[in-house]
Amino acid sequence: MIPFLDLKNINQQYREELIASCTRVIDSGWYIGGNELEQFEQNFANYCGVKFAIGVANGLDALILTLRAWKELGKLQDGDEVIVPSNTYIASILAITANNLTPVLVEPDINTYNLDPKKIEAAITPKTKVILPVHLYGQLAAMSEIMRLAKKHNLLVLEDSAQSHGAQIDYKKAGNWGDASGFSFYPGKNLGALGDAGAITTNDAELAQMLKALRNYGSHEKYKNLFVGVNSRLDEIQAAMLDVKLKHLDVEVNHRRTIAKMYLEGIKNSELILPLSDIDASQYDQHVWHLFVIRSKNREELQQYLSENGVQTLIHYPIPPHKQQAYKEWNDLNYPISEKIHDEVMSLPIGPTMSLEDVKKVIQLCNCFKV
Ligand SMILES: *Cc1c(COP(=O)(O)O)cnc(C)c1O
């Protein structure tokens, strides 16, 4: 069986380092809000090229708390509109509605699966206050165009970088384009903890201060609460685990790029649409290949065929947000590009410990697939 992602093998590579770090935390007697968190926040901020990283409990909280912080700072109010891609993972949208803000779904580009800048401007109204681009599957959204539009219309930009640690355009990384960026360190993400964790990156000192209060009961100073905050902290053990894994992230991403290049060069089957099909090859190395997503009109058959031949695949994602029961009020709306994507996408195995032999097997199977 070729697994979709072998988390056990991935973490096994760093077993000794992880155990040493874990032991250090256990022996320190200090488990929340200490040196481990501070060090990881500094190292992750440096990695992204920004001034501040603020650790929180998970990626969803990173997005929720950033929007909440902007409300506390008077930059947003209830009912303001947030532009978000219609094909994103549900978390990006939950963060908006959790703050009594209004999501405005905008269709993605069918080739990149990211927000189509041409469609953003048409969606802007006097109530629009934020663009929330999602760097889906490991590739940055068209950030130069998005930042130009944001400047022109005086909008805030919150990147959802949960799938794109280290992805870049012109050497500027995810997390360093918008006013702020939310990251997830869920175990299966490119930079994954051994449990839940997340962070916000920003160059805005005022926002960073507000986020540090909001994640800790709304308190900058013990027992003094200026805001109605939450408990959303990144604990010392997870910060220590992440600091170990951050050191190896670029090597892992390079292996993902090697696999992606093999798939892109090796898979030749007119039934399958490969990623970046319409895009300049120089962009391959800007992508961090969190997922290698192909499309097929016969996805169910393809998935079954690969499964029968020992290859595990996943669908990211089977149901678009506007068709979810949680958002019943949108169920009758039409987002044809998004619906097409959700009907056709399938993710092939890719990961930092996948063997090149296994990659070749997957390529061969894909090339032999017939309807
Ligand atoms: C994983 C993910 C999140 C949420 O992260 P959690 O840590 O699971 O809360 C948000 N947005 C996107 C695009 C994601 O892939």
Side-chain angles (χ1 to χ4, degrees):
M1 180 71 176
I2 300 176
F4 178 73
L5 181 72
D6 194 335
L7 272 183
K8 185 172 154 180
N9 266 348
I10 291 170
N11 289 321
Q12 201 76 29
Q13 302 176 95
Y14 317 122
R15 195 169 183 276
E16 301 307 320
E17 279 178 272
L18 291 170
I19 289 173
S21 289
C22 206
T23 306
R24 185 178 65 237
V25 177
I26 293 169
D27 292 348
S28 76
W30 193 277
Y31 306 114
I32 296 271
N35 296 336
E36 303 287 340
L37 175 65
E38 215 167 283
Q39 191 181 326
F40 173 68
E41 287 177 334
Q42 191 56 58
N43 290 340
F44 190 65
N46 291 347
Y47 180 82
C48 297
V50 297
K51 288 196 189 128
F52 308 102
I54 301 97
V56 292
N58 55 65
L60 175 59
D61 278 1
L63 298 171
I64 291 179
L65 291 178
T66 304
L67 294 171
R68 172 116 4 118
W70 282 335
K71 288 179 89 176
E72 292 288 356
L73 292 167
K75 296 186 176 183
L76 293 180
Q77 55 187 26
D78 284 3
D80 283 346
E81 293 177 359
V82 180
I83 290 177
V84 64
S86 55
N87 64 321
T88 186
Y89 179 58
I90 197 81
S92 330
I93 295 173
L94 291 172
I96 300 169
T97 55
N99 277 294
N100 294 322
L101 302 167
T102 306
V104 174
L105 305 180
V106 170
E107 290 258 76
D109 180 307
I110 187 70
N111 294 311
T112 63
Y113 311 119
N114 278 330
L115 261 185
D116 184 346
K118 290 193 289 295
K119 294 185 189 124
I120 293 176
E121 203 149 29
I124 295 174
T125 76
K127 292 194 117 181
T128 310
K129 289 287 148 52
V130 182
I131 307 177
L132 201 168
V134 181
H135 308 315
L136 206 64
Y137 306 152
Q139 185 184 22
L140 283 197
M143 291 311 292
S144 312
E145 290 94 322
I146 290 171
M147 294 314 294
R148 189 181 51 76
L149 283 173
K151 200 164 245 170
K152 179 172 163 197
H153 295 276
N154 198 22
L155 308 175
L156 294 161
V157 174
L158 171 56
E159 301 167 68
D160 182 340
S161 303
Q163 303 191 359
S164 289
H165 321 75
Q168 43 185 321
I169 296 176
D170 297 336
Y171 301 102
K172 188 166 170 171
K173 284 190 172 133
N176 191 14
W177 283 89
D179 298 282
S181 175
F183 286 87
S184 165
F185 308 119
Y186 180 78
K189 301 284 158 101
N190 280 19
L191 177 58
L194 276 65
D196 270 317
I200 301 107
T201 59
T202 184
N203 285 310
D204 178 345
E206 190 186 29
L207 176 65
Q209 276 301 103
M210 177 60 79
L211 286 164
K212 284 187 175 179
L214 289 179
R215 74 174 172 187
N216 188 36
Y217 311 125
S219 168
H220 292 93
E221 205 182 311
K222 208 162 189 179
Y223 306 127
K224 216 166 146 191
N225 304 80
L226 298 181
F227 311 101
V228 179
V230 299
N231 175 347
S232 181
R233 300 179 296 222
L234 171 50
D235 63 63
E236 292 285 280
I237 284 196
Q238 291 308 335
M241 302 295 96
L242 285 165
D243 214 41
V244 167
K245 293 189 71 181
L246 178 59
K247 296 189 186 83
H248 303 285
L249 179 59
D250 283 343
V251 172
E252 293 200 352
V253 167
N254 275 334
H255 189 71
R256 289 175 179 273
R257 286 187 180 131
T258 302
I259 295 169
K261 199 149 189 273
M262 285 173 69
Y263 280 151
L264 288 164
E265 287 169 358
I267 299 177
K268 293 192 169 65
N269 183 335
S270 57
E271 276 293 321
L272 312 180
I273 298 171
L274 301 182
L276 305 185
S277 59
D278 228 13
I279 286 182
D280 178 345
S282 68
Q283 293 192 15
Y284 295 170
D285 281 350
Q286 314 249 319
H287 202 310
V288 292
W289 301 103
H290 174 57
L291 298 170
F292 191 93
V293 178
I294 62 173
R295 288 201 338 261
S296 168
K297 293 234 181 324
N298 299 292
R299 177 186 61 197
E300 314 315 319
E301 291 85 340
L302 175 63
Q303 189 170 37
Q304 199 186 336
Y305 157 85
L306 288 173
S307 165
E308 281 163 4
N309 285 284
V311 177
Q312 186 191 16
T313 58
L314 295 176
I315 311 289
H316 298 93
Y317 299 91
I319 306 173
H322 71 280
K323 295 290 183 194
Q324 296 286 357
Q325 205 179 321
Y327 291 114
K328 284 193 281 302
E329 63 275 27
W330 300 337
N331 286 177
D332 294 329
L333 300 179
N334 290 314
Y335 294 95
I337 298 177
S338 194
E339 283 160 33
K340 184 181 170 66
I341 290 170
H342 287 79
D343 285 344
E344 297 183 357
V345 288
M346 201 192 75
S347 309
L348 294 178
I350 191 165
T353 60
M354 186 179 181
S355 77
L356 301 186
E357 278 314 302
D358 283 352
V359 178
K360 286 179 197 156
K361 277 184 216 156
V362 176
I363 292 172
Q364 200 160 29
L365 284 166
C366 285
N367 287 343
C368 294
F369 173 68
K370 286 195 276 298
V371 213

